[in-house]
């Protein structure tokens, strides 16, 4: 089976991008990272991608002003030019409209630094600490028009430790992110993920609820 052509969309340092690039170096991995796109020309991840020999493109949202559909049109054109089959958002800090998202049904993935549906949105680690949550983590999910709400493909949990700060907690969650994103992309690229009634089945089996996860 040919490897699926994947684009990773970033806005910043790109550590999740780097984890996906690393996983895809293995020839038996079912996806190849064909393209990295940033909406910010200064994103550090672009340098990392280029150093790894991966094609990069910048679609700078600032040059489109408030015209979201022009920005998304340019993004779509770049993805088509590179014959992309699956798109992974990895620290991509722009909301995508339904018009774009609906072009990529079950082919657009995102990683979120919390155990969804808990802590959608920004500042997840700060909010998890404030809420006194005992188990925190990260989620890879399919993107749907409603933010951080699509079917969950995989989750990874960490225990919150006494004395954790936002930074220490974020660092432990990031380790989990780097483990689960390559796993999730592999499952999707192998065609093992199906969505039924808004939930993912992996090889026909429902994804475990976050409450059943053992901390990594
Ligand atoms: C990660 O925590 C990711 O979950 C969130 O933004 C951060 C991006 O980090 N969406 P990086 O650019 O992948 O290092």
């Amino acid at each position: 089976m040919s490897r699926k052509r994947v684009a990773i969309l970033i806005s910043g340092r790109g550590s999740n991008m780097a984890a996906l690039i690393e996983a895809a170096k293995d020839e038996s991995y079912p996806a190849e990272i064909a393209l990295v796109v940033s909406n910010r020309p200064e994103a550090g991840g672009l340098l990392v991608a280029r150093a790894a020999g991966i094609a990069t493109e910048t679609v700078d949202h600032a040059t489109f002003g408030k015209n979201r559909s022009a920005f998304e049109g340019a993004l779509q054109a770049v993805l088509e030019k590179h014959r992309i089959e699956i798109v992974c958002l990895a620290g991509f800090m722009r909301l995508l409209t339904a018009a774009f998202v609906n072009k990529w049904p079950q082919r657009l993935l995102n990683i979120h630094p919390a155990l969804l549906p808990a802590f959608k949105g920004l500042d997840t680690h700060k909010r998890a600490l404030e809420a006194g949550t005992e188990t925190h983590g990260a989620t890879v999910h399919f993107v749907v028009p409603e933010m951080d709400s699509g079917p969950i493909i995989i989750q990874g949990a960490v225990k919150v430790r006494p004395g954790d700060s936002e930074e220490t907690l974020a660092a432990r969650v990031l380790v989990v992110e780097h483990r689960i994103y390559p796993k999730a992309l592999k499952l999707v690229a192998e065609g093992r993920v199906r969505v039924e009634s808004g939930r993912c089945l992996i090889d026909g089996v429902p994804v475990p609820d976050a409450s059943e996860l053992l901390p990594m």
Side-chain angles (χ1 to χ4, degrees), residues 12-17 90-91 93 110-113 125 174 177-178:
R13 67 187 165 178
S15 73
N16 278 290
M17 172 206 75
M93 302 305 285
N110 181 46
I111 185 146
H112 181 74
H125 308 306
L174 197 61
E177 294 185 40
H178 297 165

Side-chain angles (χ1 to χ4, degrees), residues 10 52 83 141:
I10 63 167
R83 305 188 320 281
H141 64 95

Side-chain angles (χ1 to χ4, degrees), residues 1 113-114 160 164 168 172 178 180 187 213:
M1 213 172 68
V160 178
D164 254 336
T168 59
R172 284 207 315 290
H178 297 165
I180 65 174
L187 290 169
L213 292 175

